[in-house]
Amino acid sequence: MRKKVVAGNWKMYKDKSETIELISGLKEKLSKFNSEVEVIICPPFTSIEIAKELLKGSVIHLGAQNMHFEDEGAFTGEISAKMLKSFGVEYVILGHSERRSIFREDDKMINKKVLKAVSVGLKPIFCIGETLEERENNKTFDVIARQLTEGLSSISNEHLNEIIVAYEPVWAIGTGKTATPSQAEEVHKYLRKLIEEKFGRSFAESMRILYGGSVKPDNAKELFSQPNIDGGLIGGACLKADSFYDVINSAV
Ligand code: PGA
């Protein structure tokens, strides 16, 4: 049985006092939660240190939203995996479609990041997904197969266990348009088969594949109950303790 995961991608939201407010609210809501679901929050870098402090003794795990693939150097504005690790970060979102489209990250760069993350002990939440145009041109499976193959290229079996895949159709992110449970399940099933072909059956059975893209309290349960959907990567609905808690509860 794969343990379900619900991860919150805060994106560029929440200053210091808002971070304190949201985490306090979540901790209160989750105080009686017995961790049937793995809950992760990924605040911006500026909130990492305070989040780590506030999350002490809670069931909530801490992730970041991006990192550079070098350990250090003249890379103005960047943060390394090693730096995140030194602040007690456990997960890192890599390959998010906003990084791919706005910041021009390609499969090769994302692969470097994935390999660096696992080498320092960070667990990637590795995102893939097709654009609307690609879907309309029947390219969905080709695109996600390429993103998965290239993004996870050269990864060792030992580190493969640490990867969480997030399928996020770009056309569903922040748009209010969700893939229907059967549309999402179709892709998740395909991904699991692809993982089996590439890495073998036991990895395919144990790897968590999350769905992301306009997941909300009112659609989460049906999505999370699909056989190959192991939880979600949540944007908008993770910014309020109430709605994030309701999404988490939908995975129980
Ligand atoms: P959304 O974002 O839930 O606001 O669509 C999801 C994501 O970008 O990870």
Side-chain angles (χ1 to χ4, degrees), residues 57-109:
S58 121
V59 295
I60 306 168
H61 298 260
L62 182 62
Q65 299 171 22
N66 180 34
M67 47 160 261
H68 196 270
F69 52 80
E70 295 287 355
D71 284 333
E72 57 185 16
F75 301 104
T76 302
E78 291 292 319
I79 303 275
S80 74
K82 194 167 148 255
M83 292 169 186
L84 294 176
K85 187 73 188 162
S86 75
F87 278 89
V89 171
E90 209 182 325
Y91 292 91
V92 61
I93 298 173
L94 295 176
H96 190 278
S97 70
E98 287 150 17
R99 300 294 320 171
R100 292 179 190 260
S101 66
I102 307 170
F103 301 98
R104 302 268 176 266
E105 293 191 10
D106 59 12
D107 293 315
K108 224 182 170 131
M109 184 192 280

Side-chain angles (χ1 to χ4, degrees), residues 10-179:
W10 291 18
K11 308 194 181 185
M12 199 174 75
Y13 290 98
K14 307 293 176 190
D15 63 14
K16 189 172 177 182
S17 62
E18 292 162 342
T19 296
I20 298 170
E21 190 188 332
L22 177 53
I23 294 181
S24 310
L26 274 176
K27 273 173 62 176
E28 200 180 307
K29 292 226 156 245
L30 290 169
S31 60
K32 294 193 187 70
F33 201 72
N34 58 11
S35 68
E36 294 155 82
V37 179
E38 199 167 326
V39 179
I40 305 167
I41 56 167
C42 304
F45 293 136
T46 44
S47 293
I48 290 287
E49 187 170 18
I50 195 157
K52 184 70 193 171
E53 190 58 34
L54 292 167
L55 291 177
K56 271 189 190 144
S58 121
V59 295
I60 306 168
H61 298 260
L62 182 62
Q65 299 171 22
N66 180 34
M67 47 160 261
H68 196 270
F69 52 80
E70 295 287 355
D71 284 333
E72 57 185 16
F75 301 104
T76 302
E78 291 292 319
I79 303 275
S80 74
K82 194 167 148 255
M83 292 169 186
L84 294 176
K85 187 73 188 162
S86 75
F87 278 89
V89 171
E90 209 182 325
Y91 292 91
V92 61
I93 298 173
L94 295 176
H96 190 278
S97 70
E98 287 150 17
R99 300 294 320 171
R100 292 179 190 260
S101 66
I102 307 170
F103 301 98
R104 302 268 176 266
E105 293 191 10
D106 59 12
D107 293 315
K108 224 182 170 131
M109 184 192 280
I110 294 160
N111 177 242
K112 281 192 196 171
K113 292 187 178 198
V114 168
L115 297 178
K116 175 53 75 176
V118 294
S119 80
V120 305
L122 286 176
K123 300 179 222 172
I125 301 173
F126 167 60
C127 305
I128 56 179
E130 83 287 0
T131 62
L132 183 59
E133 194 189 350
E134 288 160 345
R135 175 162 283 259
E136 284 172 346
N137 289 314
N138 294 320
K139 295 257 166 49
T140 299
F141 294 133
D142 294 348
V143 169
I144 59 172
R146 189 205 74 226
Q147 291 174 335
L148 186 104
T149 306
E150 295 188 16
L152 297 184
S153 168
S154 310
I155 191 149
S156 67
N157 282 357
E158 175 204 346
H159 289 141
L160 206 52
N161 281 321
E162 261 119 59
I163 307 282
I164 295 176
V165 173
Y167 167 60
E168 299 202 305
V170 179
W171 48 272
I173 296 178
T175 58
K177 275 192 215 161
T178 334

Side-chain angles (χ1 to χ4, degrees), residues 161-225:
N161 281 321
E162 261 119 59
I163 307 282
I164 295 176
V165 173
Y167 167 60
E168 299 202 305
V170 179
W171 48 272
I173 296 178
T175 58
K177 275 192 215 161
T178 334
T180 63
S182 65
Q183 269 177 329
E185 171 61 16
E186 185 191 22
V187 177
H188 281 235
K189 198 171 161 187
Y190 169 78
L191 280 170
R192 205 172 296 286
K193 205 176 108 255
L194 194 69
I195 293 164
E196 179 172 346
E197 282 163 16
K198 295 201 166 301
F199 306 113
R201 181 120 192 218
S202 77
F203 285 117
E205 278 172 359
S206 61
M207 193 169 288
R208 272 90 57 90
I209 308 177
L210 314 184
Y211 171 78
S214 299
V215 178
K216 302 274 180 294
D218 61 1
N219 61 21
K221 193 152 197 100
E222 213 188 331
L223 284 160
F224 297 168
S225 60

